[in-house]
Amino acid sequence: MKKIILSASLALILLANLRADAQIKLNDIFKKVTEKQRTTSSTGTPSQLEIGQGIKEALQIGVSAGADRLSARDGFLGNLAVKILMPPEAQKVEKTLRSIGLNSLCDNVILSLNRAAEDAAKEAKPIFIAAIKQMTLADASNILLGNNDAATSYFKRVTTAQLLEKFSPVVKNSLNKVNASRYYSDLTTQYNRLPLVKPVSTDLTGYVTQKAIDGLFIEVAKEELKIRGNLNSRSTTLLQKVFGYADRKKG
């Protein structure tokens, strides 16, 4: 009887061990299959639809980040790459007025120009997002495999007219709101009173509108380079697959 019980116990132990070994092997197989699927999904050749989705996802992230930065306080003023200075025809005016102690007048003008641009930049994101939604699969493929500024060039082509139309009234209102028009009028008036100077006048709304748009495209270009060149910016499997494919094609 004892021998029977012992044999049965040994059989149960052996069966349990076999089950455990089988489970371990199944887990290993499942893990390997899962890892292979992940690798394939992030390194395989993307379909045209995936390229379109990936480009749109990347550009939406990029333009949102760029527009948000510029529309924040000091988004233009604190960024040397896009900070708006005096109009070219007024830079001599600025130099002259600073030389006679009117620094605060010049500073007020520059501050107000940048505040107006920051205010207008809030209108940019919906325009960029609409352009992304209208992008064709051919557009997306051309951007993915194009030059490092292909997306920025696309946005310049399809959004500049809308940005000009949308920004101009916003900039005009903003210039008035932050007293830029008055400050600039005071500045040119002071200068034009000086003897033997050529009177200066500027389409201030047009100037700030164009500089604001230029600044937006500079920030979009930065984001485009980031997503193309920085692997850490490819935050999803789709982005890794799409831009990994582009790396291989260009390499």
Side-chain angles (χ1 to χ4, degrees), residues 59 128 131 135 139 142-143 146-160 217-218 220-221 224 228:
L59 294 182
F128 281 132
M135 186 181 292
D139 289 330
N142 290 335
I143 288 172
N147 296 329
N148 286 339
D149 64 347
T152 306
S153 296
Y154 168 82
F155 281 125
K156 285 181 179 179
R157 177 167 56 86
V158 302
T159 66
T160 295
F217 287 133
I218 287 173
V220 168
E224 181 176 6
R228 288 185 186 274

Side-chain angles (χ1 to χ4, degrees), residues 37-54:
Q37 288 175 339
R38 286 176 180 169
T39 301
T40 300
S41 66
S42 63
T43 61
T45 300
S47 66
Q48 285 295 308
L49 182 59
E50 286 177 319
I51 289 175
Q53 291 173 336

Side-chain angles (χ1 to χ4, degrees), residues 79-145:
N79 184 340
L80 292 179
V82 298
K83 181 179 179 179
I84 300 176
L85 304 177
M86 288 284 188
E89 65 272 21
Q91 288 175 8
K92 184 178 179 181
V93 178
E94 178 185 10
K95 184 177 180 181
T96 300
L97 294 182
R98 287 189 185 278
S99 71
I100 60 176
L102 296 176
N103 290 318
S104 61
L105 178 58
C106 297
D107 291 340
N108 284 336
V109 171
I110 292 173
L111 173 64
S112 59
L113 297 184
N114 285 276
R115 289 287 183 259
E118 290 158 9
D119 205 27
K122 297 172 185 175
E123 304 293 328
K125 191 190 296 188
I127 295 173
F128 281 132
I129 298 301
I132 292 170
K133 289 180 178 178
Q134 295 168 8
M135 186 181 292
T136 66
L137 293 179
D139 289 330
S141 185
N142 290 335
I143 288 172
L144 178 66
L145 301 177

Side-chain angles (χ1 to χ4, degrees), residues 114-239:
N114 285 276
R115 289 287 183 259
E118 290 158 9
D119 205 27
K122 297 172 185 175
E123 304 293 328
K125 191 190 296 188
I127 295 173
F128 281 132
I129 298 301
I132 292 170
K133 289 180 178 178
Q134 295 168 8
M135 186 181 292
T136 66
L137 293 179
D139 289 330
S141 185
N142 290 335
I143 288 172
L144 178 66
L145 301 177
N147 296 329
N148 286 339
D149 64 347
T152 306
S153 296
Y154 168 82
F155 281 125
K156 285 181 179 179
R157 177 167 56 86
V158 302
T159 66
T160 295
Q162 295 177 68
L163 289 169
L164 282 168
E165 182 181 358
K166 192 74 174 179
F167 272 33
S168 186
V170 175
V171 166
K172 184 175 181 179
N173 289 335
S174 297
L175 288 172
N176 291 329
K177 183 172 66 177
V178 298
N179 293 321
S181 300
R182 179 171 64 81
Y183 288 138
Y184 192 72
S185 177
D186 290 346
L187 180 143
T188 54
T189 298
Q190 289 281 1
Y191 180 78
N192 292 338
R193 285 176 180 170
L194 297 175
L196 305 178
V197 300
K198 182 180 178 180
V200 171
S201 62
T202 300
D203 175 8
L204 205 57
T205 298
Y207 171 72
V208 176
T209 296
Q210 188 58 57
K211 296 300 286 185
I213 292 172
D214 291 345
L216 276 167
F217 287 133
I218 287 173
E219 290 302 296
V220 168
K222 285 181 184 177
E223 291 297 324
E224 181 176 6
L225 284 176
K226 186 188 298 182
I227 198 70
R228 288 185 186 274
N230 186 350
L231 296 180
N232 292 330
S233 295
R234 303 170 187 179
S235 55
T236 66
T237 300
L238 179 60
L239 293 183

Side-chain angles (χ1 to χ4, degrees), residues 22-34:
Q23 186 63 47
I24 290 171
K25 288 178 180 179
L26 284 173
N27 288 340
D28 288 342
I29 292 171
F30 179 76
K31 184 177 180 181
K32 289 177 181 178
V33 170
T34 302

